[in-house]
Amino acid sequence: MAGSELPQAAHDRRGSTRSPAGTDTGFPNEVSLVAMARGGDLTAFEYLVTLYRERLFRLAYRMLRDRGDAEDVVQDTLTAGWRVLPSLERDDAFGGWVYRTATNRCLDVLRRRTSHPQDMLDPDADDPHFRATFPGTDPHRTAEVSAELETLRRALSLLPTDQRACWLLREVHDQSYAEIGAALRISPQAVRGRLARAREHLAAAMTEWK
């Protein structure tokens, strides 16, 4: 993305599976990686990128229904994450920060889509997170599960953006009500209300699969 780049180590070696210590054993936990990255360790930050890139893309793609926009959100969020590391008060605050930032960037993109309908589904979109494949199993069952996932995907796309964000952050990314509220700048009680409405809508949409 123009004017916004990850540190070079995260670009050049993001597919690496080597630990920051150069071995496959004793891999630091996430909090330790954040502490190392806060100290300027680019390799530790590379592993944070590896941890969060796919998670954030799943969230952004399901929010935005556009692969390019989702990739931009992830890139911008992780780039900003590198810059914000020194100012974090706690090493365990990085995960919450990236989810809040990615969610709000998605909402900003959606607000700019004033000339587009809310349902941004691309019939040719290849979303691996809503694609079911079961090698060696019954083709009929595979087709059935794929159709069920497609119904869920379409139902999600029709939710109001705040409800969609609440549902994804809670059901897919296992965020707490407090974390979701912080991301959306609403109270935990408001999160519960939006989740209840989202679940009601999705349950109605999925009735044929019960």
Side-chain angles (χ1 to χ4, degrees), residues 135-151:
T137 61
D138 181 3
H140 175 75
R141 176 58 181 159
T142 298
E144 185 179 65
V145 172
S146 295
E148 183 176 357
L149 291 174
E150 176 64 15
T151 300

Side-chain angles (χ1 to χ4, degrees), residues 95-114:
W97 186 90
V98 293
Y99 271 111
R100 287 195 302 275
T101 301
T103 300
N104 280 291
R105 288 180 186 273
C106 287
L107 294 174
D108 287 342
V109 171
L110 291 171
R111 292 186 191 105
R112 291 196 296 268
R113 290 178 177 174
T114 55

Side-chain angles (χ1 to χ4, degrees), residues 18-37 41 43-44 47-48 51:
R18 187 172 60 85
S19 75
T23 68
D24 293 327
T25 60
F27 186 79
N29 61 30
E30 183 176 327
V31 173
S32 297
L33 286 171
V34 173
M36 295 163 65
D41 188 328
T43 303
Y47 275 86
L48 289 173
L51 282 174

Side-chain angles (χ1 to χ4, degrees), residues 11-200:
H11 270 305
D12 294 345
R13 304 172 55 219
R14 62 192 178 196
S16 170
T17 57
R18 187 172 60 85
S19 75
T23 68
D24 293 327
T25 60
F27 186 79
N29 61 30
E30 183 176 327
V31 173
S32 297
L33 286 171
V34 173
M36 295 163 65
R38 277 160 57 85
D41 188 328
L42 288 177
T43 303
F45 184 71
E46 173 190 349
Y47 275 86
L48 289 173
V49 169
T50 300
L51 282 174
Y52 279 101
R53 186 189 300 276
E54 182 67 11
R55 300 179 200 175
L56 295 179
F57 180 79
R58 290 170 65 192
L59 172 65
Y61 186 80
R62 289 170 176 175
M63 282 289 295
L64 302 175
R65 310 306 312 154
D66 183 275
R67 183 170 298 276
D69 284 347
E71 290 173 346
D72 286 349
V73 164
V74 174
Q75 176 81 0
D76 286 351
T77 299
L78 292 174
T79 299
W82 172 251
R83 294 195 297 265
V84 82
L85 276 171
S87 64
L88 289 178
E89 294 183 358
R90 305 187 322 274
D91 292 337
D92 62 358
F94 183 75
W97 186 90
V98 293
Y99 271 111
R100 287 195 302 275
T101 301
T103 300
N104 280 291
R105 288 180 186 273
C106 287
L107 294 174
D108 287 342
V109 171
L110 291 171
R111 292 186 191 105
R112 291 196 296 268
R113 290 178 177 174
T114 55
S115 61
H116 295 272
Q118 187 169 335
D119 185 358
M120 296 295 293
L121 285 174
D122 178 356
D124 296 323
D126 180 23
D127 182 356
H129 309 296
F130 278 99
R131 186 176 64 242
T133 56
F134 305 96
T137 61
D138 181 3
H140 175 75
R141 176 58 181 159
T142 298
E144 185 179 65
V145 172
S146 295
E148 183 176 357
L149 291 174
E150 176 64 15
T151 300
L152 174 60
R153 184 170 73 90
R154 290 182 176 275
L156 273 173
S157 75
L158 294 173
L159 287 176
T161 55
D162 57 345
Q163 292 182 29
R164 192 189 320 166
C166 285
W167 190 90
L168 288 168
L169 288 168
R170 180 65 178 172
E171 303 296 342
V172 179
H173 298 276
D174 200 29
Q175 297 282 289
S176 70
Y177 293 112
E179 289 170 328
I180 298 169
L184 298 178
R185 299 187 179 92
I186 58 178
S187 69
Q189 291 74 21
V191 172
R192 290 179 184 274
R194 285 163 172 75
L195 270 174
R197 291 190 290 275
R199 287 165 175 163
E200 181 179 359

